[in-house]
Amino acid sequence: QVRLVESGGGLVQPGGSLRLSCVVSGLPFSKYAMSWYRQAPGKEDELVAVILPTGRATSYPPSEKERFIVSRDNPRNTVYLQMNSVKVEDTGLYLCAAQGRGPEDDYWGQGTQVTVSS
């Protein structure tokens, strides 16, 4: 059974930092691209960051690369999202996804809520 379990969300003040984690089981983690998405009420789901099996990491939009840093620890089957200098508009449910060869080989976690408020 494939499982993706996110953690690390919570209430933070603007300008603060937090680190999200996603622990994966039930698949060959090192062979999958891992992504973070943000869901917010009334908005389309947004891609936040992607890290490939090669280790190449990208934040979206690219201008956010110094605020959102994605990394992976293959021996621990874990992907992280470091969030720095957070803004109110960063608020949302952050979902972890594993992407294989096609939609039948894609998996999603339940998400962890991040709320940025003063």
Side-chain angles (χ1 to χ4, degrees):
Q1 182 179 4
V2 176
R3 298 179 67 182
L4 288 75
V5 181
E6 301 97 332
S7 63
L11 177 64
V12 298
Q13 294 183 335
S17 299
L18 71 168
R19 189 191 199 195
L20 309 184
S21 299
C22 175
V23 179
V24 180
S25 61
L27 55 76
F29 176 76
S30 63
K31 296 182 179 180
Y32 280 74
M34 299 298 303
S35 302
W36 288 95
Y37 288 81
R38 177 175 56 241
Q39 294 182 347
K43 295 184 177 181
E44 298 290 330
D45 294 355
E46 294 182 271
L47 178 63
V48 176
V50 176
I51 185 164
L52 302 181
T54 62
R56 181 181 180 183
T58 305
S59 300
Y60 297 90
S63 60
E64 302 284 30
K65 63 182 180 181
E66 294 185 358
R67 292 205 306 121
F68 299 156
I69 304 170
V70 63
S71 61
R72 66 193 300 162
D73 186 345
N74 286 344
R76 294 179 171 83
N77 286 8
T78 302
V79 61
Y80 304 96
L81 182 67
Q82 178 68 41
M83 303 175 63
N84 300 318
S85 302
V86 296
K87 304 175 181 178
V88 172
E89 51 263 43
D90 296 330
T91 294
L93 182 70
Y94 283 74
L95 300 168
C96 176
Q99 183 175 10
R101 299 296 299 271
E104 296 180 355
D105 198 30
D106 292 345
Y107 304 92
W108 294 80
Q110 295 299 306
T112 184
Q113 179 68 32
V114 173
T115 302
V116 183
S117 177
S118 60

